[in-house]
Amino acid sequence: MSDQHHEEAHTGPIKTPKQLLIAVLYSFVLPVFIIIGLVAYVTSANKPQAGSSTEPEAIAARIQKVGSVEIKDANRAARTGEDVYKAQCAACHVAGAAGAPKFGDVGAWSARVAKGYDTLMTSALKGKGAMGAQGGGDFEDFEIGRAVVYMANAAGAKFAEPKKPEAK
């Protein structure tokens, strides 16, 4: 009995020629046919190279401008806080859209005013919550600051209006 047990311990999972044929088929022949099929599939269709489409939308996307140069009048008169507020801020702060504190609402502005002008200015320039960054647009930073002062002072703050920085 120990000889039979000893032989069973050293035999593999393939015990018949039929099992050997199936193992060879699955191990070698089947992957070769799968690879041939994949190669035929990939090379059969006429596929344009990436970026070579002649569709008008694709051409327009490939030749679009990478950057732009904007020339502004450095000598134009600085806009007042009210002008900037009406042009840039009123769309949200009149109606209180997306949680914006309404213009003149002392309760909504009091906590913000308590943090100081610098905090309000940073929030306006870099954005906060649903409000996008206002810096770098049509207005200079000190003009955005004037709008911040205009809105905060309408709600009871006593901030001084920022002056136009001196040219260097």
Side-chain angles (χ1 to χ4, degrees), residues 49-100:
Q49 286 186 325
S52 66
S53 175
T54 58
E55 297 293 322
E57 296 83 16
I59 293 171
R62 286 195 307 269
I63 63 172
Q64 72 180 351
K65 294 188 284 185
V66 175
S68 63
V69 175
E70 186 174 332
I71 299 172
K72 293 184 178 181
D73 183 9
N75 296 322
R76 72 168 169 80
R79 294 185 185 113
T80 65
E82 184 178 4
D83 292 339
V84 175
Y85 166 77
K86 287 178 182 176
Q88 190 80 9
C89 310
C92 295
H93 286 282
V94 167

Side-chain angles (χ1 to χ4, degrees), residues 116-128 131 133-134 148:
Y117 169 77
D118 291 333
T119 304
L120 285 172
M121 184 64 177
T122 301
S123 296
L125 291 177
K126 294 182 178 179
K128 183 173 183 178
M131 180 179 72
Q134 304 300 314
V148 168

